[in-house]
Amino acid sequence: MSNAEKLSELKKICENCRNCQLYKTRTNVVFSKGDPDAKLMFVGEAPGEKEDLSGEPFVGAAGKLLDKYLGYIGLDAKDAYVCNILKCRPPKNRDPLPQEEESCIGYLWKQVEIIKPRVIVCLGRIAAKKLIKEDFAITKEHGKWFEINSTKIMAVYHPAALLRDPHKKEDMLVDFETIAKELESL
């Protein structure tokens, strides 16, 4: 069975998920987009309003900015695999609650297991705290490599943070150059 087929089956399971209360307020399950055989996986925290409406992650202004950074290192969004920890939008785009993260994290780990990315990039503090370490400090540790289960993992600022604070855009460029170098070495 191909990765695309395995992910399609997992998406169907997510669409029927009732592990937390978010299923009551979602419009769509926001599962993923991109290459099911990608070496590079991006993980955000949760879908926003535009993502909930479209059923696809990172389609709003933050997604367009992510696409620009991918283009900067010669990649297209379809060359990577993009998903979130949560598959349903928290009301008013609030931060995910710990119980919601715990209800959904198994789906993310299954996505990782299927795709077997060589590099995972956490988009923002919340994803980094869940995937790298609980006390992750995004302003101090963005752009630094960690290794988890033989997979290189790094966190960068969430693209939405760059929209609020453009001064972080230069740091993001440096972090993406680091990602490009790592991908070249694979």
Side-chain angles (χ1 to χ4, degrees), residues 141-152:
E141 296 179 289
H142 70 87
K144 293 182 181 173
W145 288 112
F146 297 82
E147 193 165 316
I148 299 172
N149 300 327
S150 303
T151 302
K152 292 284 213 147

Side-chain angles (χ1 to χ4, degrees), residues 79-150:
D79 299 323
Y81 186 83
V82 183
C83 61
N84 286 299
I85 295 170
L86 264 58
K87 309 306 181 201
C88 300
R89 175 185 178 221
K92 299 179 184 172
N93 294 346
R94 66 160 165 72
D95 286 352
L97 300 175
Q99 188 270 334
E100 295 163 348
E101 289 179 344
E102 287 308 309
S103 294
C104 243
I105 195 73
Y107 298 132
L108 174 64
W109 291 130
K110 189 70 177 162
Q111 287 171 298
V112 170
E113 180 185 315
I114 291 167
I115 294 164
K116 296 177 183 55
R118 304 285 297 280
V119 174
I120 297 174
V121 177
C122 298
L123 296 169
R125 167 187 58 86
I126 291 173
K129 285 181 153 210
K130 195 69 185 167
L131 273 63
I132 299 174
K133 60 181 184 169
E134 211 171 285
D135 63 345
F136 192 89
I138 192 77
T139 53
K140 293 179 185 171
E141 296 179 289
H142 70 87
K144 293 182 181 173
W145 288 112
F146 297 82
E147 193 165 316
I148 299 172
N149 300 327
S150 303

